[in-house]
């Protein structure tokens, strides 16, 4: 009996030693992680993202590197991102419209907003309808009167969304609009500063050129901090306005504990001086919505933009 007891104690001791020798399950993050941005380096989202990556690295205790995969209004990045491992090694940072608008503009894209897990929002674009400083009107009502008196008014559209938005306005007010396609915010700025168009959609870059633009209406659902007296399109009776936050997302199936930990890190990061300073510099204010409410926000964005696209009569490009 004593032998059996000794044997039992020995077995327990051996098992304890063996368990102690096994490596403990690593706590996330246990190494460098990657932030994916679907725009070129140097733009507003990239600039803000790199500051955020630095702050998150300090908060999480590991390097957060940034990679850029531009193209297709973030579609290139999101298609690639969908196939990445759901192990917390990579997350997406970018405009919500890449997820909730792109698939409605091009249904042949092989992703939908439901293909990802969401963490939080960080900042918010400040889109608006703008005109040259020399334009012969001062507000939105003045533009509408001018456009009715001058058929063929020129409008710079830097994206399908920008064109659809103006189509809804033109249909409501009976305007004859000449659409001028342009590549991105930089192209729009050149057209406005050169007085080559009467109106343009701006994703927010106009704020960096004080005195060069007239901001006639904001495209967000609420008034913007730097233009508190400028009405929203909704205030003016139009549909199509939508908020444009930047969101953080993970590949589908990511451990909820990982997402929650990054959410907590972002909540602290957005309160740092560096994040506040860069937000003020590039006119992209902090707009943090945490894990508890992010899914509802993404679903609302998808529903709003889907309705806008349908109501505009927009016909997606035919796939080959």
């Amino acid at each position: 009996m004593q032998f059996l007891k000794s044997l039992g104690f020995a077995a327990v001791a051996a098992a304890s030693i063996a368990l102690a020798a096994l490596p403990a399950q690593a706590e996330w993050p246990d190494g460098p992680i990657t932030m994916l941005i679907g725009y070129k380096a140097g733009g507003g989202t990239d600039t803000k993202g790199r500051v955020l990556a630095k702050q998150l690295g300090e908060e999480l205790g590991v390097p957060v590197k940034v990679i850029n995969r531009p193209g297709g209004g973030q579609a290139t990045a999101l298609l690639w991102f969908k196939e990445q491992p759901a192990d917390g090694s990579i997350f997406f940072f970018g405009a919500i419209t890449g997820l909730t608008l792109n698939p409605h503009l091009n249904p042949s894209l092989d992703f939908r907003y439901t293909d990802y897990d969401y963490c939080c929002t960080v900042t918010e674009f400040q889109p608006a309808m703008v005109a040259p400083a020399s334009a012969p009107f001062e507000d939105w009502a003045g533009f509408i009167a001018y456009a009715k008196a001058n058929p063929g008014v020129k409008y710079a559209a830097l994206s399908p969304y920008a064109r659809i938005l103006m189509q809804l306005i033109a249909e409501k007010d009976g305007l004859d609009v000449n659409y001028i396609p342009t590549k991105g915010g930089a192209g729009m700025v050149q057209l406005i500063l050169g007085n080559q168009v009467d109106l343009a959609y701006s994703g927010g870059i106009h704020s960096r050129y004080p005195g060069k633009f007239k901001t006639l209406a904001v495209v967000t659902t609420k008034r913007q901090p730097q233009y508190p007296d400028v009405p929203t399109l909704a205030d003016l009776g139009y549909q199509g306005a939508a908020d444009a936050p930047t969101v953080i997302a993970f590949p589908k199936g990511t451990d909820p504990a990982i997402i929650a930990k990054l959410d907590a890190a972002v909540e602290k990061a957005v309160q740092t001086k560096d994040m506040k300073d860069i937000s003020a510099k590039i006119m992209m204010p902090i707009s943090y919505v945490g894990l508890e409410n992010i899914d509802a926000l993404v679903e609302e964005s998808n529903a709003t933009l889907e309705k806008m696209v349908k109501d505009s009569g927009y016909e997606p490009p035919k796939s080959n």
Side-chain angles (χ1 to χ4, degrees), residues 67-146:
I67 62 172
N68 301 82
R69 283 183 170 261
Q74 304 179 99
T76 299
L78 287 165
L79 284 165
W80 178 81
F81 182 60
K82 180 183 174 183
E83 305 304 323
Q84 298 311 298
D87 57 5
S89 62
I90 187 168
F91 64 91
F92 170 83
F93 172 69
I96 194 172
T97 50
L99 298 142
T100 59
L101 176 62
N102 271 351
H104 300 303
L105 296 176
N106 186 0
S108 66
L109 288 173
D110 190 24
F111 70 86
R112 297 294 182 268
Y113 80 98
T114 50
D115 290 328
Y116 309 94
D117 288 331
Y118 296 92
C119 176
C120 57
T121 68
V122 181
T123 58
E124 197 163 54
F125 290 94
Q126 303 290 279
M129 292 295 198
V130 299
S134 60
F137 43 82
E138 299 301 323
D139 55 20
W140 186 258
F143 163 71
I144 295 299
Y146 175 83

Side-chain angles (χ1 to χ4, degrees), residues 236-318:
L236 296 166
Y238 303 97
Q239 65 166 311
D243 294 326
T246 54
V247 297
I248 287 177
F250 283 89
K252 195 72 172 180
T254 300
D255 186 343
I258 291 176
I259 301 175
K261 188 167 184 179
L262 186 63
D263 175 45
V266 172
E267 186 175 13
K268 292 181 180 179
V270 297
Q271 299 174 38
T272 62
K273 182 178 185 300
D274 285 353
M275 281 295 288
K276 291 179 179 178
D277 286 349
I278 191 61
S279 298
K281 182 178 180 180
I282 66 175
M283 302 292 184
M284 189 186 288
I286 299 294
S287 179
Y288 168 76
V289 173
L291 184 56
E292 183 177 351
N293 298 305
I294 185 63
D295 285 345
L297 184 149
V298 175
E299 289 171 7
E300 181 181 0
S301 173
N302 178 73
T304 297
L305 295 171
E306 180 180 23
K307 182 178 186 303
M308 184 199 76
V309 172
K310 287 182 177 178
D311 289 351
S312 73
Y314 173 82
E315 293 187 6
K318 296 181 179 178

Side-chain angles (χ1 to χ4, degrees), residues 182 184-195 200 202 205-206 209 213:
T182 183
M188 179 278 297
V189 168
Q190 292 177 0
L191 291 175
I192 286 284
L193 297 184
N195 291 299
S202 168
I205 194 172
H206 61 283
Y209 297 84
F213 290 79

Side-chain angles (χ1 to χ4, degrees), residues 146-225:
Y146 175 83
K148 288 182 176 180
N150 296 272
V153 65
K154 295 179 180 179
Y155 169 73
L158 54 76
S159 68
Y161 171 70
R163 184 182 179 104
I164 288 171
L165 197 60
M166 192 63 205
Q167 285 175 335
L168 291 170
I169 292 168
E171 182 178 348
K172 182 177 185 297
D173 289 330
L175 306 182
D176 177 15
V177 177
N178 183 11
Y179 295 90
I180 310 298
T182 183
K183 291 185 177 181
M188 179 278 297
V189 168
Q190 292 177 0
L191 291 175
I192 286 284
L193 297 184
N195 291 299
Q196 298 176 60
V197 294
D198 303 295
L199 188 75
Y201 172 94
S202 168
I205 194 172
H206 61 283
S207 299
R208 304 181 206 176
Y209 297 84
K212 303 293 186 180
F213 290 79
K214 291 178 180 178
T215 303
L216 306 183
V218 298
V219 182
T220 44
T221 62
K222 52 187 177 293
R223 297 200 179 194
Q224 297 174 5

